Each structure stands twice: as C-alpha cells, then as structure tokens.
Amino acid sequence: MNKTFFAAAIFLIAALCTPFAAQAQFAKGEDAIKYRQSALQLMGSHFGRMQPVMKGQIPYDKAAIAANIAILNEVSKLPWAAFGAGTEGGDAKDDIWLDPEGFKKAQDKLTISLKALTAASDAGNFDNLRVAYGEVGASCKACHKAFRKDN
Ligand code: ASC
C-alpha cells in the first residue's frame, strides 16, 4: 500500500478512537441518558429498600443499612457527568442546562444529606438515622420537582 493510503488509514483509525470532546465518555446523547437513568434507578432502589426499616416495619440491621448507604455514596457520584452539553432529553427538564448552578446546588444537597445519613448509620443511632433518611428523601424530591419532567 502506498504512503498516502497508509497515512489516511492511520488518521481514520485515530479519529474513530478519539472520544467526542463535547460528550466526554459518551459516544451518543442517548448513551448518556441511559447511563444517568441507570445510576438514578440504582439510587432509588438502594434508597427505597431501606424504607421498611425506617417505617419500623422490619428491624434495624446496622450492617445491612450501612451496606446500602455505602452503595448510595458511590452510585450518587455517577449521574452528574452524564448531564453534559448535547445530552438533553429523557425525563430531564431543560432547566438543568439553563440553570447549571441550581442543578449543582441540588446535587450538593444530596451529598450533604448523604453525609449526615452515613454519620447516623456509623453511629448506629436509629432516631438520627430516620431523620437523616428523611432529609435525603427530601433532597431527591426537591431535585425531581425542579429538574425532572412530570413531577
Ligand atoms: C426513592 C425514589 C425517589 C425518592 C423520592 C423521595 O426511593 O425512587 O425518587 O425516593 O421519592 O422522596
């Protein structure tokens, strides 16, 4: 093969391997939407499954609650990078991109409330745990009200 063809082939391979800068690690907007929805769904699952304990319907198992909260702490870091420019859609309101500061504040509220939930869980104080759980739920709700469609 001649040199020009070889150079063109190398260029093409390099171009195909380069992530699209605007969407960071996501090749397509719909991939970002799927990713953030998956992370948020996991958060909902691990938050929701603690509810019977908080309602006093099943006994408080300190280790089981701590394990759920550890997962929440990790998974809750994930959705936000998938709300980049060009990923509008899904159930997301345009306000996410129109009011990035407000959206960041809503994320911070979750982080802060999760810290308090983690502290209460580590201390093993059920009363404090219930209050902190309610605060995390309130942060979920407030963010959905402001930034998710049909809420
Ligand atoms: C969940 C879940 C939410 C929040 C919210 C709390 O388990 O899926 O969106 O809790 O309902 O108020």
Side-chain angles (χ1 to χ4, degrees):
M1 95 179 81
N2 71 39
K3 268 187 192 163
T4 309
F5 180 82
F6 189 68
I10 293 288
F11 177 81
L12 186 65
I13 290 165
L16 288 172
C17 293
T18 305
F20 302 104
Q23 286 165 12
Q25 59 273 64
F26 303 102
K28 291 181 284 175
E30 70 191 73
D31 292 345
I33 293 171
K34 253 188 241 165
Y35 179 94
R36 70 199 186 211
Q37 288 182 344
S38 303
L40 287 158
Q41 195 175 6
L42 281 174
M43 288 159 66
S45 172
H46 284 277
F47 183 74
R49 71 182 65 180
M50 292 192 280
Q51 201 176 43
V53 175
M54 303 305 163
K55 285 186 167 173
Q57 292 164 345
I58 59 172
Y60 170 38
D61 175 340
K62 189 182 172 192
I65 290 294
N68 260 312
I69 293 171
I71 293 168
L72 271 181
N73 275 315
E74 289 308 311
V75 180
S76 64
K77 294 174 191 164
L78 303 180
W80 324 119
F83 285 96
T87 69
E88 293 86 346
D91 295 333
K93 281 189 194 168
D94 286 343
D95 300 70
I96 287 173
W97 293 274
L98 297 172
D99 178 19
E101 257 178 50
F103 189 49
K104 179 69 170 66
K105 262 188 203 155
Q107 295 164 38
D108 292 345
K109 228 171 149 184
L110 173 65
T111 306
I112 291 163
S113 64
L114 269 179
K115 257 189 196 142
L117 184 68
T118 307
S121 167
D122 289 347
N125 182 313
F126 185 60
D127 289 336
N128 290 349
L129 187 74
R130 288 183 65 175
V131 173
Y133 184 82
E135 289 297 317
V136 174
S139 86
C140 300
K141 215 175 203 168
C143 189
H144 290 159
K145 192 166 189 285
F147 297 111
R148 188 173 73 177
K149 285 179 187 163
D150 303 316
N151 274 280

